[in-house]
Amino acid sequence: MDSLLARISRGQLWPSPGGIHPALNKSQSNSLPIRIPPLPPRLVLPVKQHIGAQGHLLVNVHEQVLKGQALTKPHANWSVPVHAPTSGRIVDITPMPSAHPSALPELSIIIEPDGEDRWCELVPHPNYRELTAERLIDILHFAGISGMGGAGFPTYIKASTKQQIEVLIINGAECEPYISADDVLMQAHSDEIVRGIEVLRHLLQPKITLIAIEDDKPKAIAAMEQACASIDDMQVRAIPTKYPSGGEKQLIQILTSKEVPAGGIPADIGVLVQNIGTMYAVQQAVELGKPLIERVVTVTGDTLAEQRNVWALLGTEVKHLLAQQDFNPEPMQRVIMGGPMMGFTLPTVRIPVVKTTNCILAPSEAEMPFPGEERACIRCSACADACPASLLPQQLQWFAKTKEYKKLEEHKLFDCIECGACAYVCPSEIPLVQYYRVAKAEIREQQIEQIKSDRAKERFEARKERLEREQEERRNRHKRPSRSKEQDAQSKEKVAEALARVKSKQADKGADKDKVAAAIARAKAKKAGEQLEPDNSEVAQERAARKEQARLYKEQKQQADTAEPVAKDDKKAAVAAAIARAKAKKTAQAEETEAPAQDDKKAAVAAAIARAKAKKAAQAEDADAPAQDDKKAAVAAAIARAKAKKAAQAAEADKAQTQTSGNTDTPATEQSEEDKKKAAVAAAIARAKAKKAAQAEATVKPSSESSTEPCEENNTGTDTQSSETQSPEDKKKAAVAAAIARAKAKKEAKAAQSDEAQDDASENSKTPEAEQSPEDKKKAAVAAAIARAKAKKAARDAENKPEQEDPS
């Protein structure tokens, strides 16, 4: 079985789906040679005349240019320059109506020809085979060559493809009615076209080259066969005349039986297609160095006196070309750029000729009637039968009307080549192609917006990530380094030590903190008792705790009050004893002879003063303290016992000190009478003080003890007897001392009374009588009995000690 390439070489052809056979109307223009019209008054050159990006301007307004001079410079992919079609002056660079169905303004360069038609310097390359492929591609690129069959695809892009091309197809079918530009170009310039094909074959190295021409162009077929007869692997193929067999995908299918995949390009299947006019431009650019500045345009229609093909400079306005053919417009005249099937009606005849313009059609109304009013689809399926892309035009039209763009894409809308065959056969005269063009434009806009949105989202996310990364870096920059476990342990130890110091300091503050804590505890207990529901057991425990706390506080306060006077009295007794010893020593030294008498007198005076003080203290206490107050009597008895004990201890200390000093200074065998007198005086003073303390204790005993009144009577008698033997001066001193003693006793009695009242108040506030339990009352009675017993014992000890120490 022969291979596909062998069958292609033998000239086998394959049928293509769909297609129609409209009236050709080519004979009106293809029978005359190509004409060169006079220079137009101005040339309007759009900067962009191809698919891709426009170039950067190289010229300015009022600048003089030469023919063939580059006016723009390519700067991006799919960008080709434009050149000056003739010499002249640039009068303006401004947006002008474009050669498009919308006629939207595009940036254009307006040149005023000077009529000299002076060329710029050209660089021909007749020996192009000696050039590298890159150099050849650059020549095609900077010559501004793009596809001249209708799409305007940059030629240098196709010529520089990296894919292996097996079949190179030169499209000379020219299936559109009325258009005969390629037909007459092949008849007149077949040799130049073949040399241009050779340049492309040199770059692509295809296995076979096919020149496809419809069989309704016999002169063109004969001319091309003659031109390529001596070239191997280049053949002319006459294909059946059917519209749109000149379409790229349809022509590939007819010649090779291959189908271009949806969304793909012919190079994907090893095929490349170029136009006849493009091959002529390639030959002019490489061998002669001429850029693309003109092309063949068919000017036809019944409103023209002469219909023919002309060499039109790029930028020539349609109005100028029509005028050269004696244009006679009708009232409702239409001018179409392109053929009747794929062309579009111009909004104005001031539109310029561009690189893709192949026909200017000015038909009369009889020749091409206006389309009728659109009617409802009758579902005849004629459009589907005529579609060369095997689509469903009716379904696409429904989706386009309802703007269901996703369904349009699913039904392969972009496979439509907009040939117009469906609209041509539609009995309802529905402009199907217009629906498809609008839908395609809207879908492209959506895609562009989506691309912009995606890019903006990417930029936003990238910016967000960058800001977060910078913020994290700033945080890490100011973040302290992580500490080791040892450092953490050391810091914890330091904190614990600090807390311990604070606690110890707080503990040293004294009883104030304890009082505050006790008050807080009572408040918390009280609050808790208010919040919780009544519970007899918990209330009893709280009351017991409060009573115990009050009792402890009272005992602590009594101990503190008792210890302070004792310590104070001990200090005073020691001072008094020292003063007495000093006075006794001084008196003994001054009056040795009168020492015994004066010592007796001083002792008597001291005893009288002591008795007076004791009597005054007893009277003050009897007046202020009622006998029925057992609690106050117990406190007073405790104070009296403490004082008596202190006096006894002081007397013992004085005696011991006297004996020690006597033993140290002089031995017992060598003691003088003077020392004995001093010792007797000190002993007498001590006995007087002890007796005074005993009498004071006896006066503050409870009224229940019967020995109180006799003691007072005896003391009174003793005081009276002593006062009778005293001199006036001694009486005066004794009165002063008694007054002082009474004031001190009264002051101490008041202080004791205020302490007792404060204790009673605190005890009553903490433990009311109504809340005291029988156990607390029993403990209080026991404590009072113990205090009375201790007081009675201390009084007896104080009475016995003076008698034992007295040598007499």
Side-chain angles (χ1 to χ4, degrees):
M1 185 176 181
D2 294 338
S3 64
L4 177 62
L5 192 61
R7 285 181 286 173
I8 293 172
S9 299
R10 288 200 308 268
Q12 183 177 348
L13 299 177
W14 288 266
S16 63
I20 58 176
H21 296 83
L24 297 179
N25 294 320
K26 294 179 181 287
S27 59
Q28 296 94 323
S29 60
N30 63 2
S31 58
L32 298 174
I34 304 172
R35 179 184 176 186
I36 301 176
L39 286 173
R42 71 170 188 172
L43 297 171
V44 180
L45 289 168
V47 174
K48 180 183 175 183
Q49 303 182 27
H50 56 277
I51 292 178
Q54 69 182 25
H56 287 309
L57 290 171
L58 297 176
V59 293
N60 297 314
V61 180
H62 307 305
E63 186 177 340
Q64 289 291 131
V65 294
L66 298 175
K67 187 176 182 177
Q69 179 181 340
L71 304 179
T72 62
K73 177 181 66 174
H75 76 285
N77 291 332
W78 295 17
S79 176
V80 294
V82 294
H83 300 78
T86 186
S87 60
R89 183 176 66 91
I90 298 175
V91 296
D92 200 0
I93 301 175
T94 183
M96 297 293 288
S98 62
H100 189 270
S102 64
L104 291 174
E106 289 185 350
L107 184 65
S108 303
I109 302 171
I110 302 174
I111 299 176
E112 186 180 51
D114 56 9
E116 299 180 3
D117 206 29
R118 290 179 294 119
W119 278 92
C120 66
E121 182 180 358
L122 302 179
V123 183
H125 298 87
N127 299 320
Y128 63 87
R129 296 181 184 276
E130 297 176 0
L131 302 176
T132 62
E134 290 77 9
R135 176 60 180 148
L136 272 176
I137 292 171
D138 287 341
I139 292 172
L140 300 179
H141 188 189
F142 290 100
I145 301 173
S146 61
M148 299 171 70
F153 199 85
T155 302
Y156 84 96
I157 297 293
K158 287 186 175 182
S160 59
T161 180
K162 301 300 181 182
Q163 294 170 306
Q164 179 61 42
I165 302 301
E166 293 183 352
V167 181
L168 174 62
I169 297 176
I170 307 303
N171 186 1
E174 202 171 39
C175 61
E176 181 92 9
Y178 286 95
I179 302 175
S180 59
D182 291 344
D183 184 6
V184 297
L185 184 61
M186 287 186 288
Q187 294 178 34
H189 300 281
S190 58
D191 292 338
E192 290 87 343
I193 294 171
V194 170
R195 288 203 298 270
I197 295 172
E198 284 293 314
V199 173
L200 205 59
R201 279 166 52 89
H202 175 70
L203 289 172
L204 299 175
Q205 298 294 320
K207 295 181 179 180
I208 188 172
T209 302
L210 302 176
I211 303 172
I213 306 172
E214 282 189 342
D215 54 10
D216 63 340
K217 305 175 181 64
K219 293 181 180 179
I221 294 172
M224 293 302 295
E225 286 179 346
Q226 185 180 356
C228 64
S230 60
I231 302 174
D232 296 335
D233 299 330
M234 184 183 293
Q235 300 176 9
V236 178
R237 289 284 186 269
I239 62 174
T241 300
K242 183 175 71 170
Y243 180 83
S245 59
E248 184 179 61
K249 295 181 179 181
Q250 288 68 36
L251 188 60
I252 292 172
Q253 191 172 6
I254 292 171
L255 296 175
T256 66
S257 75
K258 293 183 178 181
E259 294 185 13
V260 179
I265 58 175
D268 295 337
I269 58 175
V271 180
L272 187 68
V273 181
Q274 287 287 4
N275 182 261
I276 286 291
T278 306
M279 292 299 96
Y280 179 80
V282 168
Q283 182 270 334
Q284 294 287 303
V286 175
E287 293 185 353
L288 303 179
K290 293 182 179 181
L292 179 57
I293 58 173
E294 61 182 356
R295 68 157 297 150
V296 179
V297 178
T298 302
V299 182
T300 185
D302 288 347
T303 58
L304 299 175
E306 186 180 34
Q307 304 178 35
R308 65 188 307 162
N309 290 278
V310 298
W311 282 107
L313 296 176
L314 300 182
T316 302
E317 292 180 345
V318 172
K319 179 182 178 181
H320 177 72
L321 295 178
L322 294 174
Q324 296 301 316
Q325 305 302 120
D326 297 330
F327 177 49
N328 186 19
E330 294 181 352
M332 297 294 292
Q333 183 61 54
R334 288 173 295 166
V335 177
I336 300 171
M337 181 174 283
M341 302 300 294
M342 299 184 68
F344 55 91
T345 302
L346 296 175
T348 174
V349 292
R350 305 304 296 265
I351 301 296
V353 172
V354 294
K355 295 176 183 180
T356 58
T357 302
N358 56 5
C359 179
I360 302 297
L361 175 61
S364 64
E365 186 176 355
E367 181 184 13
M368 189 179 294
F370 284 95
E373 185 179 356
E374 178 182 348
R375 297 184 294 273
C377 175
I378 62 174
R379 303 185 182 182
C380 63
S381 75
C383 57
D385 296 337
C387 180
S390 301
L391 300 176
L392 298 174
Q394 178 191 7
Q395 196 73 27
L396 293 174
Q397 188 251 350
W398 289 342
F399 293 148
K401 288 180 70 174
T402 57
K403 297 185 178 182
E404 298 181 61
Y405 299 132
K406 289 186 178 180
K407 290 185 178 180
L408 284 171
E409 294 182 19
E410 291 174 358
H411 284 73
K412 311 297 182 184
L413 172 65
F414 284 93
D415 285 351
C416 174
I417 62 174
E418 301 179 16
C419 65
C422 55
Y424 181 82
V425 300
C426 180
S428 299
E429 298 187 17
I430 300 174
L432 296 170
V433 177
Q434 281 69 20
Y435 281 110
Y436 304 154
R437 286 175 178 170
V438 172
K440 284 182 178 180
E442 292 177 351
I443 291 173
R444 289 192 183 101
E445 288 180 1
Q446 280 191 351
Q447 290 175 347
I448 292 171
E449 292 297 325
Q450 184 63 36
I451 291 172
K452 291 181 179 179
S453 176
D454 293 341
R455 290 178 178 174
K457 184 177 180 181
E458 290 176 0
R459 290 195 301 270
F460 173 76
E461 292 178 352
R463 180 178 179 273
K464 185 178 179 181
E465 291 178 0
R466 177 176 57 80
L467 293 176
E468 290 178 354
R469 185 169 60 254
E470 291 176 356
Q471 187 176 4
E472 186 66 22
E473 290 176 357
R474 286 195 297 269
R475 283 199 298 264
N476 294 336
R477 192 182 305 123
H478 298 291
K479 190 177 180 181
R480 294 181 179 178
S482 58
R483 299 187 300 178
S484 61
K485 293 182 179 179
E486 296 179 357
Q487 292 176 345
D488 291 341
Q490 292 177 359
S491 63
K492 288 181 180 179
E493 291 178 358
K494 291 180 180 179
V495 171
E497 292 176 358
L499 291 174
R501 288 194 299 270
V502 170
K503 289 181 179 180
S504 62
K505 188 174 181 181
Q506 290 177 352
D508 294 340
K509 286 184 179 179
D512 293 340
K513 294 267 183 169
D514 296 335
K515 292 178 182 179
V516 172
I520 292 171
R522 288 193 301 274
K524 287 183 178 179
K526 187 175 181 182
K527 185 177 180 180
E530 291 175 356
Q531 292 178 355
L532 297 176
E533 296 181 357
D535 189 351
N536 294 335
S537 60
E538 292 181 359
V539 171
Q541 292 178 0
E542 290 176 1
R543 288 178 179 176
R546 287 199 298 271
K547 290 176 183 179
E548 182 66 20
Q549 188 175 4
R551 186 181 61 79
L552 293 174
Y553 176 77
K554 183 177 179 182
E555 290 179 0
Q556 290 176 1
K557 186 170 182 62
Q558 288 179 357
Q559 291 177 3
D561 293 341
T562 305
E564 184 176 356
V566 169
K568 194 179 293 184
D569 292 341
D570 292 340
K571 189 173 183 180
K572 287 181 180 180
V575 172
I579 292 170
R581 287 193 299 273
K583 287 181 179 180
K585 188 175 181 181
K586 183 177 180 181
T587 304
Q589 291 177 355
E591 299 177 0
E592 291 180 2
T593 57
E594 298 177 1
Q598 288 183 0
D599 289 341
D600 295 337
K601 188 183 287 185
K602 288 182 179 180
V605 170
I609 291 169
R611 286 193 300 273
K613 288 182 179 180
K615 186 176 181 180
K616 183 179 179 182
Q619 291 173 356
E621 189 168 355
D622 290 337
D624 296 335
Q628 65 270 18
D629 194 351
D630 295 337
K631 189 179 291 185
K632 291 182 180 180
V635 172
I639 294 170
R641 288 194 299 274
K643 289 183 178 181
K645 189 175 182 181
K646 180 191 75 171
Q649 290 175 354
E652 271 186 335
D654 292 341
K655 184 178 179 181
Q657 187 174 3
T658 303
Q659 292 176 0
T660 305
S661 61
N663 293 333
T664 305
D665 296 336
T666 55
T669 55
E670 298 178 0
Q671 285 182 352
S672 62
E673 292 294 328
E674 184 180 353
D675 294 333
K676 292 180 180 179
K677 288 178 181 180
K678 291 179 181 179
V681 170
I685 291 169
R687 285 194 300 274
K689 288 181 178 181
K691 190 173 182 180
K692 171 191 168 185
Q695 290 173 354
E697 183 180 0
T699 57
V700 298
K701 285 185 178 180
S703 57
S704 59
E705 296 181 7
S706 59
S707 60
T708 304
E709 294 178 359
C711 289
E712 290 179 356
E713 294 174 358
N714 295 334
N715 291 338
T716 304
T718 306
D719 292 339
T720 304
Q721 293 174 2
S722 299
S723 61
E724 291 176 356
T725 58
Q726 289 178 353
S727 63
E729 185 179 356
D730 293 335
K731 288 180 180 180
K732 191 176 182 179
K733 291 181 179 180
V736 172
I740 294 170
R742 285 194 301 272
K744 289 183 178 180
K746 189 175 182 181
K747 184 178 180 181
E748 290 176 357
K750 287 181 179 181
Q753 187 177 2
S754 64
D755 292 338
E756 290 174 4
Q758 186 175 359
D759 293 341
D760 293 340
S762 62
E763 184 176 1
N764 293 332
S765 62
K766 294 177 183 178
T767 56
E769 290 295 329
E771 295 182 0
Q772 285 184 353
S773 62
E775 184 179 357
D776 293 335
K777 292 180 180 180
K778 187 176 182 180
K779 288 181 179 180
V782 172
I786 292 170
R788 286 193 297 272
K790 287 183 178 180
K792 190 174 182 180
K793 183 180 179 182
R796 286 197 301 267
D797 293 340
E799 290 176 358
N800 294 331
K801 281 184 178 180
E803 293 177 356
Q804 293 176 0
E805 292 175 355
D806 190 358
S808 60

